[in-house]
Amino acid sequence: MFALRNDLAGIDWAAVKADLRRDGFDNGRTPDELYRSFAASAHTSVAWIGDRVVGTARLLADGICNAYLVDVWTAVGYRRRGIASAMVTDLLGRVPGHHVALFTEHAEALYRGLGFEVEEVGMSMVVGRWLNR
Ligand SMILES: CC(C)(COP(=O)(O)OP(=O)(O)OC[C@H]1O[C@@H](n2cnc3c(N)ncnc32)[C@H](O)[C@@H]1OP(=O)(O)O)[C@@H](O)C(=O)NCCC(=O)NCCS
């Protein structure tokens, strides 16, 4: 069984990056950039089995009305056990009253199952170059 934690203590970010890369979900952040992006988030939910991180999710949120869900990932080998659902549900419970947005390419069923609905238009841009490099 997995356990959820909301702190970042004890996370081996190099190991997380290696697992993300293995799973094809590494977006180029160094281990330190991974840490800093999670640390700068309003809320984080991390799934552990023993001393291993098997899932991550984080919310950018203003504490008033708007939040954005990112970095939802469950390690291959631990999927379809409810880990992502538990992390996202945990995060949603921390932002009552907020409108929570996300982009997804492959996980629509996950979010629909949690109550998300597709909105008409999503728009985004990268300011300059991704990760400034
Ligand atoms: C998408 C992802 C986070 C799901 O993680 P997970 O821990 O396996 O999700 P859950 O076990 O909570 O799944 C809950 C429900 O979502 C749906 N779902 C999850 N993965 C699915 C898949 N690959 N295909 C179809 N439905 C899926 C199912 O309805 C599932 O319920 P069920 O297992 O009872 O049928 C995981 O597959 C992943 O990390 N993928 C790569 C990264 C990614 O795409 N992240 C989303 C970015 S927005």
Side-chain angles (χ1 to χ4, degrees), residues 21-93:
R21 183 181 296 161
R22 178 206 60 206
D23 292 355
F25 203 58
D26 175 13
N27 70 358
R29 284 168 288 180
T30 65
D32 181 60
E33 287 169 337
L34 273 172
Y35 163 68
R36 287 193 281 126
S37 59
F38 276 74
S41 304
H43 303 283
T44 58
S45 188
V46 178
W48 294 78
I49 292 181
D51 61 0
R52 179 163 181 213
V53 170
V54 296
T56 64
R58 63 188 180 99
L59 259 186
L60 315 177
D62 61 18
I64 305 291
C65 55
N66 287 106
Y68 195 85
L69 183 63
V70 279
D71 284 341
V72 179
W73 162 76
T74 299
V76 167
Y78 298 93
R79 293 180 180 175
R80 305 306 286 265
R81 301 184 190 188
I83 292 176
S85 299
M87 295 187 297
V88 174
T89 300
D90 176 33
L91 292 175
L92 295 177

